[in-house]
Amino acid sequence: MAFLTFVDGSANLPKELLEGINVLPCDYLVNGESKTYTGDLESFDAHAYYEGLKKGDKIQTSLLNTATFLDHFTPLVKEGHDIIYISMSSGISGTYNAAINAADELMEEYPERFVHIVDSQGCGFGSGILAMKAADLSRQGVDVREAAKMVDEAVPHACQYFTVDDLNFLKNTGRVSGVTASIGTVLNIKPILFGDKTGHIISCSKVRGRNSSISAIAKKYQEKRMDTPDQTVCISHGDCLEDAKTLERLVKEINPAAKVTIASHEPFSGAHVGPGMLGLFFWGTER
């Protein structure tokens, strides 16, 4: 490979999509007990995790710090490898800045090497599909600097739309106000959310009822999708597989050529969106 591609566990990639991609672990606490998520979705008990959130489990997440990146990247850079790391959005985590600090330090010490940090302006599959693109470019033998430019240019086209079942999880992380969460709960209002150009999560519309929110996400796919050779579409869900299958069916009705992957939403960012999160990730004309 021309260079090494890295993500962290929040990229949400199941094993079948991890070819050529290295995963950094994410640490978090469940009711004060330390946990590490290594990116192994197959071993993640999503049902138990999201049921725990419904029952009041307290989850605390923390950014990946500069030392973590240095620990993992330094031996590889010493061996002569260049690296592209796809970070979760700088708008929702300090992980991006920690990675930038590590990259600057490594390239100062090893000026012949290139370590590039991509701000995905998203999370979950939003960074995962960018990592898949980077890994594919590496397999093709594309120079790391050219590949870094191409992945950066792809960021605005990595579309990601999602809804949540309980607005209180977003309220607890400051994404919506307490008043909005209360009104939404009483009136069964479901927001359609996405990562904007600054990487912050904002609402692009609101609908009433779960079925309407699933249809609204599918409509975004119809409006934004690009007809490209790469028809990758990813769906993640917070223990609501039947809703995910409904969304898959709607996507297939719009584009029968879509290559759809469904996976449980990983625990690291799952704590912030909660049970019932349903997200659609795809290549589009714009966000």
Side-chain angles (χ1 to χ4, degrees):
M1 291 192 176
F3 56 87
L4 300 177
T5 301
F6 273 84
V7 292
D8 57 68
S10 71
N12 216 112
L13 293 170
K15 187 180 296 182
E16 65 267 23
L17 299 182
L18 277 173
E19 182 183 356
I21 299 172
N22 303 281
V23 183
L24 299 177
C26 292
D27 295 324
Y28 61 103
L29 299 175
V30 179
N31 299 325
E33 182 181 351
S34 180
K35 303 282 186 179
T36 297
Y37 178 63
T38 62
D40 183 5
L41 272 175
E42 286 69 25
S43 298
F44 168 50
D45 189 341
H47 177 69
Y49 179 81
Y50 287 107
E51 278 297 307
L53 285 176
K54 289 179 184 178
K55 295 174 182 177
D57 281 354
K58 302 300 181 185
I59 312 294
Q60 294 174 273
T61 61
S62 58
L63 58 82
L64 278 71
N65 58 36
T66 298
T68 297
F69 291 108
L70 290 174
D71 287 346
H72 285 85
F73 291 172
T74 301
L76 299 170
V77 171
K78 280 184 178 180
E79 292 175 1
H81 295 288
D82 298 311
I83 293 172
I84 293 180
Y85 166 68
I86 316 296
S87 171
M88 68 183 83
S89 172
S90 63
I92 61 175
S93 173
T95 293
Y96 172 76
N97 289 327
I100 286 287
N101 291 336
D104 289 345
E105 185 174 329
L106 285 167
M107 287 191 289
E108 182 176 352
E109 186 173 355
Y110 304 94
E112 72 282 6
R113 298 272 58 86
F114 187 69
V115 179
H116 182 68
I117 313 302
V118 177
D119 183 353
S120 71
Q121 297 178 0
C123 197
F125 276 126
S127 53
I129 61 174
L130 287 163
M132 291 166 61
K133 180 178 182 66
D136 185 54
L137 292 171
S138 181
R139 284 190 292 270
Q140 294 176 37
V142 177
D143 174 76
V144 65
R145 287 172 173 79
E146 179 62 22
K149 179 182 177 183
M150 294 171 71
V151 177
D152 282 339
E153 290 174 347
V155 168
H157 301 288
C159 292
Q160 44 208 306
Y161 293 92
F162 68 99
T163 190
V164 296
D165 201 39
D166 186 345
L167 282 163
N168 285 303
F169 287 94
L170 287 170
K171 180 198 75 172
N172 293 338
T173 57
R175 301 305 180 195
V176 298
S177 70
V179 172
T180 300
S182 297
I183 293 174
T185 300
V186 172
L187 299 179
N188 198 23
I189 299 297
K190 306 299 181 185
I192 308 303
L193 304 156
F194 76 110
D196 67 10
K197 294 179 180 179
T198 67
H200 292 87
I201 296 173
I202 64 172
S203 172
C204 58
S205 65
K206 298 180 180 69
V207 296
R208 182 168 292 178
R210 181 68 168 184
N211 290 337
S212 294
S213 69
I214 298 172
S215 297
I217 293 173
K219 185 177 180 181
K220 286 295 182 183
Y221 176 68
Q222 185 173 32
E223 294 171 348
K224 302 284 189 179
R225 74 181 183 90
M226 289 195 300
D227 281 319
T228 65
D230 183 356
Q231 292 290 332
T232 297
V233 176
C234 297
I235 296 170
S236 66
H237 64 95
D239 196 31
C240 52
L241 179 58
E242 291 308 311
D243 287 346
K245 289 180 177 179
T246 297
L247 181 55
E248 178 188 29
R249 176 178 56 78
L250 295 175
V251 165
K252 285 285 194 176
E253 288 175 359
I254 296 165
N255 177 21
K259 302 171 185 175
V260 181
T261 296
I262 296 177
S264 298
H265 196 73
E266 45 78 24
F268 193 71
S269 62
H272 302 282
V273 290
M277 174 271 180
L278 182 66
L280 182 67
F281 307 81
F282 59 94
W283 294 112
T285 54
E286 61 180 4
R287 290 191 176 180

